[in-house]
Amino acid sequence: MVAIQSRKKQKKLRLLVVEDDAGVAYSVCRWLREQEDVRSVLAANTQEAIEVLRDIIFIESTFDALLVDYNLGDSTGVRVIQEFRDEFPIVPIALMSGSEDISLERWTRAQDIPLFRKPLKLDQLHDWLEGIRDSA
């Protein structure tokens, strides 16, 4: 397992994960729990993600990053990204997808959003999280 190295008692990264596939959600969240400096919150669909965002705004807090699936049962990850960026424009975002749709790849590139293909490679997720940690 790849683990993010702890650094001088830095605060934990707060990550919102939006994934409707229970198996993928379980795997990602289990791996995230093993990381010493990452706390994650899971939303299973667009509506849950928007509710979490409203709650976090209400308590005047934020997430340090958003990891969202593209194909959600009630919408697409693009809607979650738009809602998230409206409130937190500088917070890093990554999109997950099992689709090989080339237009999705173009869109993520134009938005400067990493696209992680499923099945996820944990080393890519690790590197993304490390980049966020290093830039904080």
Side-chain angles (χ1 to χ4, degrees):
M1 277 290 154
V2 179
I4 297 174
Q5 300 297 316
S6 292
R7 293 185 181 88
K8 297 181 186 174
K9 296 280 187 184
Q10 289 179 329
K11 71 174 186 144
K12 292 186 177 196
L13 285 177
R14 293 164 298 178
L15 177 66
L16 175 58
V17 178
V18 186
E19 173 59 70
D20 65 332
D21 180 307
V24 173
Y26 173 78
S27 295
V28 169
C29 289
R30 185 185 67 192
W31 180 79
L32 289 168
R33 275 193 307 273
E34 294 171 359
Q35 309 311 302
E36 292 180 7
D37 61 352
V38 179
R39 287 183 23 212
S40 63
V41 172
L42 174 65
N45 56 46
T46 304
Q47 187 57 41
E48 280 185 23
I50 291 170
E51 288 173 16
V52 168
L53 288 176
R54 287 182 184 144
D55 289 347
I56 209 79
I57 292 165
F58 179 74
I59 63 170
E60 298 180 358
S61 189
T62 188
F63 286 99
D64 299 305
L66 170 68
L67 177 63
V68 61
D69 184 29
Y70 174 71
N71 251 340
L72 298 168
D74 59 347
S75 186
T76 68
V78 171
R79 179 165 176 232
V80 176
I81 289 169
Q82 290 167 337
E83 295 271 345
F84 195 84
R85 277 208 166 150
D86 285 348
E87 297 298 330
F88 310 109
I90 62 170
V91 172
I93 297 170
L95 188 68
M96 304 178 282
S97 180
S99 169
E100 294 295 324
D101 185 351
I102 206 77
S103 63
L104 181 59
E105 195 169 312
R106 281 190 216 120
W107 183 84
T108 56
R109 213 174 306 124
Q111 299 296 315
D112 196 27
I113 295 173
L115 176 60
F116 298 133
R117 297 287 183 187
K118 292 179 185 177
L120 288 177
K121 294 180 175 96
L122 294 178
D123 60 331
Q124 289 178 327
L125 186 55
H126 170 267
D127 291 348
W128 178 64
L129 292 170
E130 276 293 300
I132 294 166
R133 170 65 74 208
D134 291 345
S135 66

